DNA sequence: GTTGTGACATCGC
DNA sequence: CGCGATGCCACAA
């Protein structure tokens, strides 16, 4: 089910921000939960340290309810692997179609495929596409 | 009221 | 570099 791990102050709004950020991730790139959480603004009145500690879970919770149109497949954990969940194979297949290479251990090289950020997303798209 | 668990992150070996 | 184990909060049984 959706545990919702510690609901953020405004779950609906937080989820919307997460989805918006995920939509900015270009094809062929991947982002980690913590990265997405870090790109989002910290809710007021909340200790950044706590936010950093739990926001990744909230991102996960948001992905659990991700609507259509959101490239949820590009969001993986900091280890560069797909979290063990039903549909993981589907996710991996989709990423491979986008050009993301998987290691022999079902792992992605984050140094190479991790999303640089929302500012450089446009450059990434129109600039050099990998050989 | 208590126990277990979760689309993660980080530290240690 | 890779893999295993631990911790955080809140909510469900």
């Amino acid at each position: 089910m959706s545990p919702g791990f510690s609901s953020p102050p405004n779950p609906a709004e937080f989820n919307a921000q997460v989805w918006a950020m995920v939509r900015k991730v270009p094809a062929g790139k991947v982002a980690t939960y913590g990265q997405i959480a870090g790109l989002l603004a910290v809710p007021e009145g909340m200790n950044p340290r706590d936010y950093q500690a739990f926001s990744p879970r909230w991102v996960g919770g948001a992905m659990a309810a991700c609507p259509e149109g959101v490239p949820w497949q590009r969001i993986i954990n900091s280890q560069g692997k797909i979290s063990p969940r039903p549909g993981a194979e589907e996710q991996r297949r989709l990423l491979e179609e986008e050009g993301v290479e998987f290691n022999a251990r079902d792992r992605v090289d984050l140094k190479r495929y991790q999303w640089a950020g929302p500012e450089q997303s446009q450059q990434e798209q129109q600039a050099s596409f990998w050989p």
Side-chain angles (χ1 to χ4, degrees):
Chain A
M1 2 209 278
S2 347
F5 288 101
S6 65
S7 307
N10 296 329
E13 178 132 358
F14 184 83
N15 288 4
Q17 288 205 30
V18 172
W19 297 330
M21 191 64 65
V22 173
R23 284 197 196 101
K24 290 184 179 180
V25 180
K29 291 287 180 182
V30 296
T32 65
Y33 297 91
Q35 183 180 4
I36 296 296
L39 291 172
L40 296 178
V42 179
E44 296 182 12
M46 184 169 197
N47 196 348
R49 199 171 77 91
D50 293 340
Y51 174 81
Q52 191 179 34
F54 306 102
S55 53
R57 312 261 179 157
W58 301 342
V59 173
M63 298 331 286
C66 72
E68 295 184 6
V70 178
W72 57 274
Q73 68 243 37
R74 294 173 198 157
I75 307 303
I76 58 180
N77 56 25
S78 63
Q79 299 178 18
K81 291 199 242 171
I82 299 174
S83 299
R85 69 177 177 74
E89 295 181 359
E90 182 78 10
Q91 182 173 3
R92 176 173 137 200
R93 197 192 69 194
L94 289 170
L95 288 175
E96 285 181 343
E97 292 208 10
E98 292 182 353
V100 178
E101 295 179 359
F102 276 77
N103 213 340
R105 300 168 190 74
D106 298 334
R107 213 162 152 171
V108 179
D109 187 356
L110 291 177
K111 288 182 184 174
R112 192 167 157 191
Y113 294 105
Q114 187 172 28
W115 183 36
E119 301 295 339
Q120 302 190 7
S121 64
Q122 294 184 0
Q123 288 187 352
E124 292 281 353
Q125 291 193 39
Q126 68 180 2
S128 64
F129 214 50
W130 52 272

